[in-house]
Amino acid sequence: MKIVIIGASAAGISAAKTIKVSEPETEVVIISKEDSVHSRCMLHKFLGHQRDAKGISFIADDFFETAGITWLNNTTVISLDPDKKTVTTHDNQTISYDKLLIATGAAYFIPPIPGLRESKNVYGFRDLNDAKLLDRECQTAKNAVVIGAGLVGMDAAVALLERGLNVTVIEMTKDVMSLQLDHQAARAYQQLFEEAGAEFILEDKVVSVDVNDVGRGTTIHLASGKAVPADVIVIAAGVRPAFNFTQGSGIKTNHAILVGDDLKTNLKDIYAAGDVTGIAGIWPNAMKQGRVAAINMLGEKLLYEDRYALKNTVNFYGLTTLSLGNINPEPEENCEILIREDRHNYQKVVLKNGIVLGVIMQGDIGGTGFWQYLIKNKIDISGKNKDVFSLSFADFYDLDQQTGEYKYAV
Amino acid sequence: MKRIIIDREKCDGCLNCNIACISAHEEGSNFYTVNLQSPDAETRNFIKFDVGKGYLPIFCRHCDEPECVLSCMSGALEKDPVSGHVQYDENKCAACYMCVMNCPFGVLKPDKKNRTKVIKCDFCDDKPDGPSCVKACPKQAIVVKEVNL
């Protein structure tokens, strides 16, 4: 059997690994548009010059050779023929498959703001290629503007600060990382970034960009009337699943490739995993989806059930935060909000009828992994009769006598 | 694979396992000389107390399907195909702490000193005489056993 995987990031690599571990004789071909395998979560380490391209890889140097996987790099898939069971690449290769996994991820999005898309010095921060282009700009640029203060924007900002640029971050909402944090937790990071030299313009919007005669954006105009000078612009305003090449193939999409719980698409022998499915834009879930899709492609039956995606960790300047679930409930949701803080910690638990809906743990996040289990499984903790902040796995402790593994007693 | 099997009823919370773990990761120290006040003094195992249930040992299971490995974006955490143990490469780790978030049993933690690495059981590098916590337990509440996966 020949399995073709498009995409060599979390989902694609995790699928390839799973296939080769369970059925080494299966032929696996990975097609990727880049010539390296790297973790996009470490791009800021590359741009900040803390690691080189090899240092942000998440696989062993000899991964493809050892596993016996064919890797077609620098290769972009441009079309898919589900009847002939082939894909066609930009350089006119036709590659046949028995089973196909689409793990093409997502691509950044440049909002339609006058001057922004036209500017040659506007970059996303998604792939190593983006980071390399930014790296080149950093050699001459003085003023960097980051549009969007989500996790990706903050990653870009931390690297640009590391490189000694003047960094201005522009954000529409009133806080940085507003999907992961509340006002207080966000302020703590904002202060750390400001101490490192960053400037933040919050609750403001880019309305236009002045483009000079060589096509570079020079000044960013905001709704408030402010104007910010820019030598280099990073756009971090979100991503969109990337599946252009499937046009005309009859695959079902809705801003993402639609899959069932077995991660199969509506087309025969075609599966999808990772960001392209729109299920969850986060590394651990993409890895798990790659694994589940691989097992299903091999003919076993396994369902992807871990759809819980409202989770993240943040670590900037040594301040760590765990964020899970609904952390900024609206007043009409009638949630109970508990807060505990000291000099080093800010902790918030959102509860409703004994069920934990969300947590923020900022400061010491050691041993906080159990919270995700409680939230995604909607465990009722009202019977625990105990300070919620002192909960741990010990309150749900059970052991499987056969394997010695833990399980939850709930 | 070898796993530390827990008999929680035998545990009486002496914390010898904690001290043995800290000492095993402080080069050249032993039970009597280990510096518990050092910023590097971190235990990889925990004993919790519950009024109803008594002492509850929380030790890394080196799970069959390790959530920490699935969450690792740097390749620092890998399940060794031979030993079955989840190994951690500090040099690869980028300290994103998604593994801390993903461990359902709350075993993993960032290092206290710099928040640049993860503190995780390494099964004492699979030394032939076994993990130091097991050797230090006076009650045999933790013992190494071969388990079939």
Side-chain angles (χ1 to χ4, degrees), chain A residues 39 41-42 51 58 283 287-288 291 312-313 315 363 365-367 369-370 372 394 397 403-406 408, chain B residues 3 6 56-59 61 63-64 67 70 72-73 92-93 95-97 100-104 106 108-109 115:
Chain A
S39 167
C41 310
M42 290 194 281
R51 291 190 187 198
F58 64 98
W283 193 274
M287 293 275 281
K288 207 179 248 185
R291 193 176 156 270
N312 234 313
T313 48
N315 183 12
I365 62 164
F370 73 97
Q372 186 187 164
Y397 194 95
T403 64
E405 291 213 282
Y406 287 131
Y408 270 74
Chain B
R3 179 171 279 149
I6 300 160
L56 300 164
I58 297 185
F59 284 60
R61 302 288 76 210
C63 296
D64 298 351
E67 287 282 347
L70 276 178
C72 183
M73 59 81 173
K92 282 191 187 161
C93 177
C96 75
Y97 298 130
V100 172
M101 167 181 84
N102 243 35
C103 172
L108 300 188
K109 62 182 186 182
R115 311 249 156 107

Side-chain angles (χ1 to χ4, degrees), chain A residues 137-273:
Chain A
E137 292 277 0
C138 281
Q139 289 161 14
T140 51
K142 285 195 175 65
N143 298 310
V145 173
V146 178
I147 303 173
L151 272 174
V152 173
M154 296 300 267
D155 267 354
V158 83
L160 294 165
L161 288 165
E162 193 71 34
R163 295 292 294 279
L165 276 74
N166 301 320
V167 178
T168 306
V169 183
I170 300 164
E171 167 60 40
M172 285 201 303
T173 65
K174 69 178 175 47
D175 284 306
V176 302
M177 298 181 276
S178 55
L179 290 178
Q180 288 83 25
L181 306 175
D182 67 359
H183 182 63
Q184 183 163 344
R187 279 295 301 163
Y189 282 108
Q190 192 181 330
Q191 272 170 21
L192 288 169
F193 274 74
E194 283 167 348
E195 281 163 27
E199 202 176 309
F200 288 90
I201 302 176
L202 303 172
E203 290 184 276
D204 211 340
K205 244 170 120 167
V206 178
V207 290
S208 69
V209 178
D210 291 347
V211 185
N212 68 10
D213 48 9
V214 289
R216 294 174 65 89
T218 53
T219 308
I220 293 177
H221 296 282
L222 303 179
S224 61
K226 282 183 196 152
V228 187
D231 301 318
V232 57
I233 303 164
V234 180
I235 183 78
V239 297
R240 303 280 186 271
F243 52 86
N244 275 341
F245 72 95
T246 62
Q247 252 179 21
S249 67
I251 202 164
K252 266 196 192 144
T253 62
N254 181 16
H255 305 293
I257 291 183
L258 298 178
V259 287
D261 285 342
D262 53 2
L263 302 183
K264 203 176 157 317
T265 68
N266 63 311
L267 299 180
K268 192 169 180 283
D269 295 325
I270 302 181
Y271 295 73

Side-chain angles (χ1 to χ4, degrees), chain A residues 11 14-15 99-103 251-252 257-280 284-297 300-307:
Chain A
S14 151
K99 299 267 163 83
L100 177 71
L101 177 65
I102 301 172
I251 202 164
K252 266 196 192 144
I257 291 183
L258 298 178
V259 287
D261 285 342
D262 53 2
L263 302 183
K264 203 176 157 317
T265 68
N266 63 311
L267 299 180
K268 192 169 180 283
D269 295 325
I270 302 181
Y271 295 73
D275 284 7
V276 78
T277 64
I279 298 174
N285 293 35
M287 293 275 281
K288 207 179 248 185
Q289 287 169 35
R291 193 176 156 270
V292 171
I295 289 169
N296 286 321
M297 286 192 290
E300 310 263 322
K301 268 244 166 287
L302 189 64
L303 297 183
Y304 179 75
E305 282 159 343
D306 190 5
R307 285 178 183 254

Side-chain angles (χ1 to χ4, degrees), chain A residues 78-92:
Chain A
I78 54 165
S79 70
L80 161 66
D81 186 336
D83 299 323
K84 290 194 187 127
K85 297 180 92 171
T86 56
V87 294
T88 308
T89 65
H90 75 286
D91 52 355
N92 256 322

Side-chain angles (χ1 to χ4, degrees), chain B residues 12-95:
Chain B
D12 60 5
C14 72
L15 303 185
N16 272 10
C17 51
N18 283 191
I19 294 170
C21 182
I22 295 167
S23 172
H25 296 88
E26 185 188 309
E27 193 93 15
S29 73
N30 62 38
F31 192 87
Y32 301 100
T33 64
V34 60
N35 179 8
L36 296 177
Q37 282 168 359
S38 151
D40 293 314
E42 305 250 28
T43 175
R44 287 144 181 80
N45 48 49
F46 314 93
I47 308 294
K48 300 274 185 182
F49 179 73
D50 180 88
V51 179
K53 291 183 253 180
Y55 293 100
L56 300 164
I58 297 185
F59 284 60
C60 176
R61 302 288 76 210
H62 297 270
C63 296
D64 298 351
E65 285 181 24
E67 287 282 347
C68 57
V69 174
L70 276 178
S71 74
C72 183
M73 59 81 173
S74 69
L77 287 165
E78 291 272 5
K79 190 167 172 75
D80 187 298
V82 180
S83 71
H85 294 145
V86 174
Q87 292 171 337
Y88 170 63
D89 182 343
E90 194 179 311
N91 297 317
K92 282 191 187 161
C93 177

Side-chain angles (χ1 to χ4, degrees), chain A residues 45 179 268 290 387 392:
Chain A
K45 303 247 172 202
L179 290 178
K268 192 169 180 283
D387 173 17
S392 73

Side-chain angles (χ1 to χ4, degrees), chain A residues 102-160:
Chain A
I102 301 172
T104 40
Y108 65 84
F109 169 76
I110 306 181
I113 292 165
L116 190 63
R117 281 188 184 168
E118 295 86 329
S119 297
K120 286 181 187 154
N121 53 339
V122 173
Y123 302 93
F125 195 51
R126 175 81 189 162
D127 291 323
L128 184 56
N129 199 35
D130 300 326
K132 281 180 175 165
L133 293 169
L134 274 168
D135 183 44
R136 209 162 57 196
E137 292 277 0
C138 281
Q139 289 161 14
T140 51
K142 285 195 175 65
N143 298 310
V145 173
V146 178
I147 303 173
L151 272 174
V152 173
M154 296 300 267
D155 267 354
V158 83
L160 294 165

